[in-house]
Amino acid sequence: MPAFRDFNFKLLVIEKLMYEDEMLTPAFSIDECLRAKGIADAQLYAFDNDLAYTVLDESRAYFEALEISEELLATVETLLIDGGHQVCYECSPVWDGEDDLFDVGSLDDLDLLPNLRRISGARDCGLGDPFKEEILAARGIASD
């Protein structure tokens, strides 16, 4: 299975495949994961344990270990950069989008998406160099 180098880039791909296209199943739910441990409220758990603006260990472990086949990766033609993604909630139930917790640091993983043609939200994401239009254009990827 292909290995991702940038966790946050992998989360963008997971958002597309798991929560948008529903092709990567079953969908991970932090609420269900924590309920299985006897924790009724993910948001209270995060606040009470000083985990409000971090990726919860349960989520990180799940998503880091999640394998995505080359065939499934080849179906990804578009990605959306947006702080309101479901995967962001599943990682950090009280995250408000006001910090760099989910910023992509590198686009080295673009090679894992041979059919990627567009990244939406790249111009407005404030993430800097990785999403420069000329870098994406050189790879045949449009951005807006």
Side-chain angles (χ1 to χ4, degrees), residues 116-142:
L116 183 65
R117 298 295 171 249
R118 176 172 300 283
I119 298 179
S120 296
R123 290 186 188 155
D124 299 323
C125 69
L127 299 182
D129 289 342
F131 291 100
K132 282 188 176 175
E133 193 170 342
E134 58 270 16
I135 293 171
L136 296 174
R139 292 176 165 268
I141 299 169

Side-chain angles (χ1 to χ4, degrees), residues 12-75:
L12 289 177
V13 174
I14 290 169
E15 176 67 25
K16 173 72 171 157
L17 294 172
M18 184 176 285
Y19 299 105
E20 184 180 328
D21 295 347
E22 299 179 351
M23 295 174 62
L24 184 59
T25 59
F28 176 79
S29 167
I30 191 60
D31 293 325
E32 289 177 16
C33 178
L34 293 177
R35 273 195 297 274
K37 294 180 169 192
I39 300 166
D41 188 308
Q43 293 181 343
L44 285 175
Y45 170 76
F47 278 124
D48 291 347
N49 292 284
D50 199 28
L51 300 170
Y53 300 99
T54 64
V55 173
L56 299 180
D57 290 342
E58 295 84 354
S59 303
R60 183 174 296 280
Y62 181 85
F63 289 126
E64 282 183 347
L66 183 65
E67 294 183 348
I68 307 172
S69 71
E70 289 181 18
E71 294 79 19
L72 204 50
L73 291 171
T75 68

